[in-house]
PDB file of all heavy atoms in Angstrom:
ATOM      1  N   LYS A1402      31.213 148.948 116.031  1.00  0.00           N
ATOM      2  CA  LYS A1402      32.155 149.769 116.748  1.00  0.00           C
ATOM      3  C   LYS A1402      33.429 150.114 115.911  1.00  0.00           C
ATOM      4  O   LYS A1402      33.273 149.962 114.652  1.00  0.00           O
ATOM      5  CB  LYS A1402      32.554 148.993 118.045  1.00  0.00           C
ATOM      6  CG  LYS A1402      31.417 148.649 118.955  1.00  0.00           C
ATOM      7  CD  LYS A1402      30.842 149.892 119.718  1.00  0.00           C
ATOM      8  CE  LYS A1402      31.725 150.099 121.041  1.00  0.00           C
ATOM      9  NZ  LYS A1402      31.127 151.232 121.797  1.00  0.00           N
ATOM     10  N   PHE A1403      34.496 150.423 116.556  1.00  0.00           N
ATOM     11  CA  PHE A1403      35.761 150.811 115.869  1.00  0.00           C
ATOM     12  C   PHE A1403      36.211 149.681 114.902  1.00  0.00           C
ATOM     13  O   PHE A1403      36.652 149.971 113.765  1.00  0.00           O
ATOM     14  CB  PHE A1403      36.777 151.139 116.908  1.00  0.00           C
ATOM     15  CG  PHE A1403      38.159 151.430 116.318  1.00  0.00           C
ATOM     16  CD1 PHE A1403      38.321 152.602 115.528  1.00  0.00           C
ATOM     17  CD2 PHE A1403      39.146 150.625 116.482  1.00  0.00           C
ATOM     18  CE1 PHE A1403      39.603 152.870 114.960  1.00  0.00           C
ATOM     19  CE2 PHE A1403      40.477 150.897 115.962  1.00  0.00           C
ATOM     20  CZ  PHE A1403      40.681 152.047 115.226  1.00  0.00           C
ATOM     21  N   ALA A1404      36.126 148.476 115.383  1.00  0.00           N
ATOM     22  CA  ALA A1404      36.651 147.355 114.524  1.00  0.00           C
ATOM     23  C   ALA A1404      35.823 147.238 113.248  1.00  0.00           C
ATOM     24  O   ALA A1404      36.380 146.909 112.160  1.00  0.00           O
ATOM     25  CB  ALA A1404      36.632 146.019 115.274  1.00  0.00           C
ATOM     26  N   GLN A1405      34.515 147.414 113.301  1.00  0.00           N
ATOM     27  CA  GLN A1405      33.652 147.429 112.091  1.00  0.00           C
ATOM     28  C   GLN A1405      34.098 148.477 111.132  1.00  0.00           C
ATOM     29  O   GLN A1405      34.069 148.256 109.890  1.00  0.00           O
ATOM     30  CB  GLN A1405      32.149 147.492 112.487  1.00  0.00           C
ATOM     31  CG  GLN A1405      31.521 146.237 112.885  1.00  0.00           C
ATOM     32  CD  GLN A1405      31.812 145.773 114.333  1.00  0.00           C
ATOM     33  OE1 GLN A1405      32.436 146.550 115.104  1.00  0.00           O
ATOM     34  NE2 GLN A1405      31.426 144.652 114.682  1.00  0.00           N
ATOM     35  N   TRP A1406      34.331 149.660 111.701  1.00  0.00           N
ATOM     36  CA  TRP A1406      34.798 150.776 110.833  1.00  0.00           C
ATOM     37  C   TRP A1406      36.044 150.406 109.996  1.00  0.00           C
ATOM     38  O   TRP A1406      36.168 150.635 108.823  1.00  0.00           O
ATOM     39  CB  TRP A1406      34.928 152.012 111.621  1.00  0.00           C
ATOM     40  CG  TRP A1406      35.389 153.217 110.898  1.00  0.00           C
ATOM     41  CD1 TRP A1406      34.641 154.134 110.142  1.00  0.00           C
ATOM     42  CD2 TRP A1406      36.776 153.711 110.734  1.00  0.00           C
ATOM     43  NE1 TRP A1406      35.430 155.052 109.606  1.00  0.00           N
ATOM     44  CE2 TRP A1406      36.661 154.805 109.894  1.00  0.00           C
ATOM     45  CE3 TRP A1406      37.950 153.225 111.185  1.00  0.00           C
ATOM     46  CZ2 TRP A1406      37.876 155.518 109.598  1.00  0.00           C
ATOM     47  CZ3 TRP A1406      39.113 153.892 110.907  1.00  0.00           C
ATOM     48  CH2 TRP A1406      39.108 155.004 109.998  1.00  0.00           C
ATOM     49  N   VAL A1407      36.986 149.896 110.771  1.00  0.00           N
ATOM     50  CA  VAL A1407      38.301 149.468 110.149  1.00  0.00           C
ATOM     51  C   VAL A1407      38.062 148.411 109.080  1.00  0.00           C
ATOM     52  O   VAL A1407      38.625 148.415 107.941  1.00  0.00           O
ATOM     53  CB  VAL A1407      39.261 149.015 111.217  1.00  0.00           C
ATOM     54  CG1 VAL A1407      40.590 148.551 110.530  1.00  0.00           C
ATOM     55  CG2 VAL A1407      39.583 150.129 112.183  1.00  0.00           C
ATOM     56  N   ALA A1408      37.298 147.368 109.536  1.00  0.00           N
ATOM     57  CA  ALA A1408      36.997 146.260 108.590  1.00  0.00           C
ATOM     58  C   ALA A1408      36.366 146.706 107.283  1.00  0.00           C
ATOM     59  O   ALA A1408      36.710 146.297 106.170  1.00  0.00           O
ATOM     60  CB  ALA A1408      36.178 145.212 109.257  1.00  0.00           C
ATOM     61  N   LYS A1409      35.430 147.639 107.378  1.00  0.00           N
ATOM     62  CA  LYS A1409      34.769 148.175 106.152  1.00  0.00           C
ATOM     63  C   LYS A1409      35.745 148.958 105.284  1.00  0.00           C
ATOM     64  O   LYS A1409      35.672 148.823 104.027  1.00  0.00           O
ATOM     65  CB  LYS A1409      33.573 149.062 106.588  1.00  0.00           C
ATOM     66  CG  LYS A1409      32.406 148.300 107.118  1.00  0.00           C
ATOM     67  CD  LYS A1409      31.219 149.240 107.585  1.00  0.00           C
ATOM     68  CE  LYS A1409      30.133 148.471 108.259  1.00  0.00           C
ATOM     69  NZ  LYS A1409      29.084 149.379 108.721  1.00  0.00           N
ATOM     70  N   LYS A1410      36.644 149.736 105.905  1.00  0.00           N
ATOM     71  CA  LYS A1410      37.624 150.411 105.169  1.00  0.00           C
ATOM     72  C   LYS A1410      38.500 149.437 104.390  1.00  0.00           C
ATOM     73  O   LYS A1410      38.837 149.645 103.188  1.00  0.00           O
ATOM     74  CB  LYS A1410      38.508 151.230 106.098  1.00  0.00           C
ATOM     75  CG  LYS A1410      37.828 152.510 106.653  1.00  0.00           C
ATOM     76  CD  LYS A1410      37.885 153.605 105.594  1.00  0.00           C
ATOM     77  CE  LYS A1410      37.429 154.898 106.237  1.00  0.00           C
ATOM     78  NZ  LYS A1410      37.478 156.035 105.251  1.00  0.00           N
ATOM     79  N   LEU A1411      38.937 148.356 105.007  1.00  0.00           N
ATOM     80  CA  LEU A1411      39.790 147.377 104.395  1.00  0.00           C
ATOM     81  C   LEU A1411      39.121 146.574 103.298  1.00  0.00           C
ATOM     82  O   LEU A1411      39.722 146.172 102.300  1.00  0.00           O
ATOM     83  CB  LEU A1411      40.386 146.464 105.473  1.00  0.00           C
ATOM     84  CG  LEU A1411      41.334 147.111 106.429  1.00  0.00           C
ATOM     85  CD1 LEU A1411      41.675 146.143 107.595  1.00  0.00           C
ATOM     86  CD2 LEU A1411      42.622 147.525 105.717  1.00  0.00           C
ATOM     87  N   LEU A1412      37.889 146.258 103.541  1.00  0.00           N
ATOM     88  CA  LEU A1412      37.103 145.405 102.597  1.00  0.00           C
ATOM     89  C   LEU A1412      36.433 146.029 101.416  1.00  0.00           C
ATOM     90  O   LEU A1412      36.252 145.465 100.382  1.00  0.00           O
ATOM     91  CB  LEU A1412      36.120 144.503 103.356  1.00  0.00           C
ATOM     92  CG  LEU A1412      36.670 143.474 104.359  1.00  0.00           C
ATOM     93  CD1 LEU A1412      35.547 142.877 105.091  1.00  0.00           C
ATOM     94  CD2 LEU A1412      37.384 142.453 103.572  1.00  0.00           C
ATOM     95  N   ARG A1413      36.024 147.317 101.660  1.00  0.00           N
ATOM     96  CA  ARG A1413      35.246 148.006 100.680  1.00  0.00           C
ATOM     97  C   ARG A1413      35.918 149.170 100.037  1.00  0.00           C
ATOM     98  O   ARG A1413      35.330 149.749  99.149  1.00  0.00           O
ATOM     99  CB  ARG A1413      33.947 148.403 101.306  1.00  0.00           C
ATOM    100  CG  ARG A1413      33.089 147.235 101.896  1.00  0.00           C
ATOM    101  CD  ARG A1413      31.901 147.739 102.673  1.00  0.00           C
ATOM    102  NE  ARG A1413      31.107 146.517 103.176  1.00  0.00           N
ATOM    103  CZ  ARG A1413      30.076 146.691 103.991  1.00  0.00           C
ATOM    104  NH1 ARG A1413      29.570 147.893 104.177  1.00  0.00           N
ATOM    105  NH2 ARG A1413      29.496 145.594 104.381  1.00  0.00           N
ATOM    106  N   GLU A1414      37.105 149.517 100.516  1.00  0.00           N
ATOM    107  CA  GLU A1414      37.737 150.614  99.849  1.00  0.00           C
ATOM    108  C   GLU A1414      39.216 150.252  99.521  1.00  0.00           C
ATOM    109  O   GLU A1414      39.729 149.219 100.026  1.00  0.00           O
ATOM    110  CB  GLU A1414      37.787 151.814 100.832  1.00  0.00           C
ATOM    111  CG  GLU A1414      36.455 152.406 101.170  1.00  0.00           C
ATOM    112  CD  GLU A1414      36.519 153.548 102.215  1.00  0.00           C
ATOM    113  OE1 GLU A1414      37.592 154.142 102.387  1.00  0.00           O
ATOM    114  OE2 GLU A1414      35.462 153.907 102.822  1.00  0.00           O
ATOM    115  N   ASN A1415      39.810 151.000  98.692  1.00  0.00           N
ATOM    116  CA  ASN A1415      41.258 150.790  98.324  1.00  0.00           C
ATOM    117  C   ASN A1415      42.101 151.760  99.151  1.00  0.00           C
ATOM    118  O   ASN A1415      41.596 152.745  99.782  1.00  0.00           O
ATOM    119  CB  ASN A1415      41.477 150.984  96.863  1.00  0.00           C
ATOM    120  CG  ASN A1415      40.658 150.049  96.006  1.00  0.00           C
ATOM    121  OD1 ASN A1415      40.631 148.825  96.367  1.00  0.00           O
ATOM    122  ND2 ASN A1415      40.050 150.467  94.901  1.00  0.00           N
ATOM    123  N   GLY A1416      43.414 151.573  99.114  1.00  0.00           N
ATOM    124  CA  GLY A1416      44.374 152.489  99.697  1.00  0.00           C
ATOM    125  C   GLY A1416      44.657 152.108 101.204  1.00  0.00           C
ATOM    126  O   GLY A1416      44.200 151.055 101.661  1.00  0.00           O
TER     127      GLY A1416
END
Side-chain angles (χ1 to χ4, degrees):
K1402 301 284 278 184
F1403 175 68
Q1405 275 79 7
W1406 179 84
V1407 175
K1409 288 177 182 177
K1410 286 280 187 181
L1411 292 168
L1412 290 173
R1413 299 176 181 177
E1414 300 179 15
N1415 297 318

